[in-house]
Amino acid sequence: MLTATHVLEAPVSEGGAFVFTHAHGNGISVWMRDLTRVVDERPRRLRGVAAPLYGGTIRDLEPLRDFVTDFVEHAVDEPAVRLTPGRIRDVRPIVARTNSDVLSSRMHFSYRAMSPLDTVGPWDGAAAELLLSRVRGLNYRHMGFFATGLSELPAGDAPDATSAAVISRERAEGLAEYLQAPVGQVLHHLRRDSPAQR
């Protein structure tokens, strides 16, 4: 069982929240809690195992920025939990499912995609994926997201479940840079990103 030492519940405007913890040195665990807005994917080109795609807005990116920065600054070198590399199985990656890689979308938004996420504990079904977005040229406090394949953490349950998606230390460093950068610098930096990380 994981023991959560630092916990952040990030409310979503459309309903529900994400729960983030970092209790071990090699990653940030993430669950969803009662997310309500399921994205209607058109055209449907899903096959096999296809987890629902959720989308919406995280109300305030500042607590998430502080949380990720705290993890990056204090993570220990010795991993405490063995991570299992995530794998896409019988479903398109989240970047393709959201069309975030097309020029018309990148003109208005900058993206940070984590696809697939590492996991701890048993994992069944489509890989866990998370994509965050910021509006280009505007310094909003909120931030968009798409998520799929994350474990549900019921209301009232402590985040010590045996299975969780994990943002690895390396990906957390990239995420911290994305969240901390002023809008202009974020947009300039992302032009150099690979498509898989936009």
Side-chain angles (χ1 to χ4, degrees):
M1 299 288 278
L2 303 178
T3 302
T5 55
H6 301 281
V7 181
L8 171 68
E9 185 160 338
V12 170
S13 295
E14 293 78 6
F18 288 101
V19 179
F20 299 92
T21 73
H22 60 87
H24 44 84
N26 54 336
I28 297 173
S29 298
V30 55
W31 295 267
M32 62 181 190
R33 177 173 276 165
D34 299 325
L35 295 184
T36 57
R37 183 182 164 226
V38 177
V39 176
D40 184 17
E41 298 177 72
R42 298 180 186 274
R44 282 191 185 274
R45 294 194 185 100
L46 307 179
R47 61 192 187 283
V49 178
L53 178 64
Y54 295 90
T57 305
I58 296 174
R59 291 182 196 167
D60 193 350
L61 69 81
E62 189 170 342
L64 180 58
R65 176 194 294 134
D66 293 343
F67 185 85
V68 174
T69 300
D70 175 70
F71 168 75
V72 170
E73 290 178 350
H74 297 97
V76 296
D77 291 332
E78 291 295 323
V81 176
R82 183 171 180 266
L83 300 182
T84 302
R87 60 192 176 101
I88 301 294
R89 190 174 69 207
D90 298 327
V91 67
R92 295 182 304 152
I94 198 167
V95 171
R97 292 176 70 178
T98 59
N99 292 321
S100 58
D101 54 348
V102 301
L103 180 60
S104 60
S105 183
R106 288 186 281 120
M107 287 173 61
H108 303 289
F109 300 95
S110 63
Y111 296 95
R112 175 62 58 172
M114 290 164 281
S115 171
L117 292 170
D118 294 327
T119 61
V120 294
W123 206 264
D124 189 24
E129 302 174 83
L130 181 62
L131 183 147
L132 301 175
S133 66
R134 296 176 67 182
V135 178
R136 287 187 179 274
L138 297 172
N139 196 20
Y140 288 135
R141 290 180 59 89
H142 61 263
M143 179 172 53
F145 76 88
F146 291 99
T148 187
L150 298 178
S151 292
E152 176 76 21
L153 187 66
D157 282 12
D160 58 0
T162 55
S163 63
V166 178
I167 300 171
S168 68
R169 184 173 180 180
E170 180 181 27
R171 281 179 162 165
E173 289 172 356
L175 179 58
E177 180 183 359
Y178 176 71
L179 296 174
Q180 290 169 3
V183 172
Q185 293 180 25
V186 167
L187 305 187
H188 176 73
H189 169 71
L190 289 185
R191 290 190 188 101
R192 300 194 304 270
D193 261 359
S194 65
Q197 290 297 310
R198 276 197 292 258

